[in-house]
Amino acid sequence: MSTLDPAQAPASSPPGPGGATHRPHRPHLALAVLAANTLMVTLDGSIVSVAMPALQRDLGFGAAGLSWVVNAYLIAFGGLLLLAGRLGDLLGRKRMFLAGTGVFTLASLLAGAAGAPGLLVAARFLQGVGGAMASAVALGLLVTLFPDPAGRARAIAVFSFTGAAGASLGQVAGGVLTDALSWHWIFLVNLPPGLAVLALAVRSLPADRGLGLRAGADVLGALYVTGGLMTGIYAVVQIEQRGPGSAHTLGFGALALVLLTAFARRQSRARTPLMPPRVLRAPGVAAANLVQVLVVAAMFAFSIMVALNLQQVQGYGAARTGVAMLPAALAIGAVSLGLSARLIARFGERRILLAGLVPLGVLLALLVRLPVGASYPVDLLPSMLLGAGFGLVLPALTSLGMSGAREDDAGLASGLFTTTQQLGMALGLAVLSTLAAARTEHLTAAGASPAAALNGGHHLAFAAGTVLLGAAFLAALVLLRAPRIRRSR
């Protein structure tokens, strides 16, 4: 169940009618390229958070307009992942990766040079488009680079670490660059790695012809799913401003549901579906994606709410906030790179996933009691170190999410898995932020000090995140079948 049968991914075989992939001579260099791109794109999603006050001050954003610096990226990125993944299968995953990295790098230059709010929002949307194109096919390329289970488990551990650590490192980089230089550099810093990734990707990534558009050129299905995802994410990210029961939220949510339902019905009937139903029928794939939505939504309470608490309640500056969160990135790296592949090989993805969810639940439960004026070693450092559980959870989920991918579906499975990550982030952003804001407003009206009111709002978000992780644990326990254990020799 846990990994793709090597016979299903003959990465070293010559291309057949479906456009199979040539395995490169240096797969580890190709892995480094994919990991570097993932780190760059993931880091860009979080690096903006600590620079928001500077952006508002320098460009004159209004309170509502400022949120679009994040929302424009999320809508483009999350809305296009599934389509980009399938187009990678049809047109060639290397071609899609190179095009996406190029668009992302160019958009970073435009964002760094932006002198007006509208220009920055447009550049952020373009960054999301490029990020989706490259990220959607990254895992698909990885599973063809490493067809043997042991090598793939190690590669997924490296890849997962770069994704998990990117959010934490983004806090550090954003704070340091904003304080030392200016907010422009949180975008311009992408130029050197972006150009380096392009140059190395041309030489190291496997060449593939793709299946051809005739194998899945479902234009109407593409319009349905892209429109549905973009509309749904837009509805979700506007919940905090509009309210969960507003006509705006319900209307756009209903439209998204209609479009996605139409997409699902079309895929069961179309001669060349954009998303063949067999992808979701593969054992564990649908359950892994569901668990991922819950986990990522819950961990938003850690990656974003903790950063807000450190600055708004504890009085940390941007750079100090980033440094304070660095132990979490180091703990995740130590576990994902040093242990996860061996533990998964010995005990199976399901057991390691369940084991990793436990410390994450304890992490958020501890933060529910975080006081104003917290002591970092006593009140915060233990939670940072418990973040190591994510170093077990994400590699296990990634293996499960890609477990049923055939070589001609690898880009689609990759796009689907990355889409559910973004849906989890959007849901976490909307639900937990809304809960925190409502609780803060209630405590303020009751006479609490600004710091105490904000802290109380954050406590509710941490508690809600703990509940989401509990739901993820139950879903994994019930929906994922016990895997065959592959003993290490």
Side-chain angles (χ1 to χ4, degrees):
M1 159 183 177
S2 57
T3 56
L4 180 65
D5 187 340
Q8 292 180 322
S12 58
S13 62
T21 304
H22 286 295
R23 188 177 182 184
H25 295 296
R26 291 174 291 181
H28 290 90
L29 177 59
L31 172 62
V33 167
L34 296 174
N37 183 81
T38 298
L39 179 62
M40 181 174 65
V41 173
T42 307
L43 187 147
D44 193 78
S46 63
I47 199 173
V48 175
S49 60
V50 293
M52 296 291 262
L55 288 169
Q56 186 172 27
R57 181 181 62 249
D58 290 357
L59 295 182
F61 274 102
L66 186 63
S67 66
W68 281 97
V69 176
V70 175
N71 293 348
Y73 183 88
L74 284 176
I75 290 170
F77 192 85
L80 291 171
L81 280 165
L82 197 63
L83 176 60
R86 187 53 173 166
L87 287 177
D89 290 332
L90 302 178
L91 301 176
R93 290 185 284 275
K94 178 177 181 177
R95 192 175 300 155
M96 182 63 67
F97 181 87
L98 290 172
T101 303
V103 170
F104 181 86
T105 305
L106 175 61
S108 298
L109 175 61
L110 296 176
L119 293 176
L120 180 57
V121 170
R124 287 287 287 165
F125 186 89
L126 192 59
Q127 272 190 311
V129 172
M133 292 168 67
S135 299
V137 296
L139 275 171
L141 285 163
L142 185 146
V143 298
T144 60
L145 285 165
F146 297 91
D148 61 292
R152 180 176 300 162
R154 290 190 294 269
I156 284 177
V158 172
F159 187 86
S160 300
F161 164 68
T162 59
S168 299
L169 293 176
Q171 304 285 347
V172 180
V176 171
L177 289 170
T178 302
D179 283 354
L181 297 172
S182 73
W183 65 263
H184 298 275
W185 287 94
I186 66 175
F187 303 114
L188 296 177
V189 73
N190 291 325
L191 299 184
L195 294 173
V197 165
L198 279 172
L200 293 173
V202 170
R203 298 166 49 196
S204 64
L205 291 183
D208 59 317
R209 293 200 313 262
L211 301 170
L213 288 176
R214 291 183 179 179
D218 181 12
V219 176
L220 185 57
L223 292 175
Y224 282 150
V225 71
T226 303
L229 287 172
M230 283 191 169
T231 303
I233 292 172
Y234 169 70
V236 168
V237 299
Q238 289 287 288
I239 285 177
E240 185 179 1
Q241 292 182 18
R242 307 278 186 165
S246 67
H248 181 279
T249 299
L250 295 177
F252 278 98
L255 177 59
L257 184 61
V258 168
L259 290 171
L260 292 175
T261 301
F263 170 72
R265 291 184 63 185
R266 181 168 178 82
Q267 298 316 288
S268 64
R269 301 174 180 178
R271 188 178 64 175
T272 55
L274 186 71
M275 188 173 76
R278 66 174 177 271
V279 175
L280 288 177
R281 287 199 297 262
V285 171
N289 279 278
L290 171 62
V291 171
Q292 178 171 235
V293 170
L294 296 170
V295 171
V296 173
M299 291 309 293
F300 168 82
F302 176 72
S303 62
I304 302 298
M305 284 294 175
V306 169
L308 291 174
N309 189 277
L310 289 174
Q311 294 184 73
Q312 297 176 349
V313 178
Q314 313 301 337
Y316 286 30
R320 188 182 176 195
T321 296
V323 173
M325 298 188 71
L326 186 59
L330 296 177
I332 292 169
V335 172
S336 61
L337 298 178
L339 291 174
S340 63
R342 284 179 289 172
L343 291 175
I344 287 172
R346 182 171 180 82
F347 298 108
E349 287 88 346
R350 179 176 179 270
R351 291 180 179 177
I352 298 307
L353 171 60
L354 293 170
L357 287 171
V358 173
L360 294 184
V362 175
L363 179 162
L364 290 180
L366 289 176
L367 291 174
V368 173
R369 53 164 291 279
L370 186 67
V372 177
S375 164
Y376 183 81
V378 174
D379 298 310
L380 284 161
L381 185 59
S383 291
M384 298 295 170
L385 297 177
L386 285 169
F390 206 54
L392 297 177
V393 168
L394 194 53
L397 278 175
T398 304
S399 293
L400 289 165
M402 295 299 294
S403 61
R406 306 187 328 191
E407 185 172 356
D408 52 356
D409 293 331
L412 176 61
S414 174
L416 174 64
F417 187 77
T418 315
T419 297
T420 59
Q421 281 187 349
Q422 295 305 305
L423 290 175
M425 287 178 60
L427 286 170
L429 174 66
V431 175
L432 300 185
S433 293
T434 300
L435 289 173
R439 179 63 175 165
T440 297
E441 183 178 347
H442 174 76
L443 292 174
T444 300
S449 68
L454 284 168
N455 203 43
H458 295 159
H459 284 174
L460 181 58
F462 297 143
T466 306
V467 172
L468 288 172
L469 285 176
F473 186 93
L474 290 175
L477 187 66
V478 173
L479 299 178
L480 290 171
R481 296 184 305 182
R484 297 186 301 272
I485 298 175
R486 299 183 300 278
R487 298 291 183 184
S488 300
R489 295 188 178 184

